[in-house]
Amino acid sequence: GQQVMQIPQYQHVQEGEDFTTYCNSSTTLSNIQWYKQRPGGHPVFLIQLVKSGEVKKQKRLTFQFGEAKKNSSLHITATQTTDVGTYFCAGSSNYQLIWGAGTKLIIKP
Amino acid sequence: ETGVTQTPRHLVMGMTNKKSLKCEQHLGHNAMYWYKQSAKKPLELMFVYNFKEQTENNSVPSRFSPECPNSSHLFLHLHTLQPEDSALYLCASSPYDRGVRLAGGEQYFGPGTRLTVT
């Protein structure tokens, strides 16, 4: 079946370091969404990418959608403690929304 | 955020109990969803309702029974659950385009019900 693979499962970074999570789909996506879930919280919508090769920025977060619309990435520059949580991608394909397993961002003390 | 509310927030039930989870959205959306979130697993879509009609049922056991009386309210009725059903149950809503079977738009989640089956 259709899958969206998200890697890595966990990423430990020092505060101030960068963080990146990647999503790869087995099929071409019509769009991809990104969500953040804080510890103990619920997923919160961050952004949706629709166009091939699209790049969007939200302050220190940069979102990219691949040219083939099969992969996407989220990059956080200079992480802060407020960035802690799990980041999920969700791709739309054949009228289904397929969720990645999430990448947990952990800030090292 | 109060756009999507869920009650109760926590629920402990025995395997022979019957209980219901409630979700209400105040965003004017027409699509509502039930998800199951277990530790170390992707979000599992359980049910989708569009304009009060169920459009998705992803092979969910019959011990879970959804109900959508209107576009703002969604229930999940539970009976004879198993311990492996313990999880966070999330409700979400999104806008819906009649021309599309499933909305590709953003989803707004409620805070979830943490369910423990003993």
Side-chain angles (χ1 to χ4, degrees), chain B residues 92-109:
Chain B
S93 72
S94 72
Y96 181 74
D97 182 345
R98 281 190 181 277
V100 179
R101 179 176 159 218
L102 178 67
E106 65 269 25
Q107 298 194 2
Y108 294 84
F109 285 82

Side-chain angles (χ1 to χ4, degrees), chain B residues 1-16:
Chain B
E1 298 174 14
T2 58
V4 181
T5 57
Q6 287 187 244
T7 54
R9 295 293 306 275
H10 300 273
L11 178 62
V12 179
M13 58 186 289
M15 290 191 285
T16 58

Side-chain angles (χ1 to χ4, degrees), chain A residues 45-107:
Chain A
F45 174 77
L46 295 176
I47 207 162
Q48 176 170 282
L49 305 173
V50 179
K51 298 177 183 176
S52 169
E54 190 170 12
V55 178
K56 286 190 177 180
K57 292 190 175 185
Q58 291 180 349
K59 297 183 181 178
R60 294 177 294 104
L61 278 61
T62 302
F63 304 85
Q64 293 188 339
F65 200 11
E67 295 289 342
K69 300 183 74 173
K70 285 188 169 184
N71 55 69
S72 182
S73 65
L74 158 59
H75 181 83
I76 303 178
T77 303
T79 54
Q80 300 175 359
T81 55
T82 53
D83 296 325
V84 163
T86 301
Y87 293 84
F88 294 94
C89 64
S92 289
S93 177
N94 293 330
Y95 307 117
Q96 295 185 10
L97 193 63
I98 308 161
W99 290 81
T103 296
K104 191 172 184 179
L105 170 58
I106 300 162
I107 305 282

Side-chain angles (χ1 to χ4, degrees), chain B residues 9-98:
Chain B
R9 295 293 306 275
H10 300 273
L11 178 62
V12 179
M13 58 186 289
M15 290 191 285
T16 58
N17 292 157
K18 290 185 179 181
K19 296 286 184 183
S20 295
L21 309 185
K22 179 183 176 182
C23 176
E24 185 174 358
Q25 60 97 1
H26 310 274
L27 300 169
H29 292 162
N30 295 309
M32 296 188 77
Y33 311 79
W34 279 117
Y35 285 91
K36 176 183 179 182
Q37 187 174 41
S38 307
K40 299 180 181 180
K41 283 188 177 181
L43 276 169
E44 298 175 57
L45 179 64
M46 299 175 72
F47 301 104
V48 181
Y49 278 83
N50 291 301
F51 293 95
K52 302 187 298 178
E53 293 183 12
Q54 188 180 126
T55 55
E56 294 275 343
N57 177 343
N58 285 352
S59 304
V60 180
S62 59
R63 57 185 184 269
F64 295 91
S65 174
E67 179 189 359
C68 188
N70 54 61
S71 295
S72 299
H73 295 85
L74 186 64
F75 295 89
L76 188 62
H77 305 298
L78 315 172
H79 65 97
T80 59
L81 294 192
Q82 305 298 311
E84 60 264 28
D85 297 323
S86 298
L88 180 67
Y89 287 85
L90 291 160
C91 172
S93 72
S94 72
Y96 181 74
D97 182 345
R98 281 190 181 277

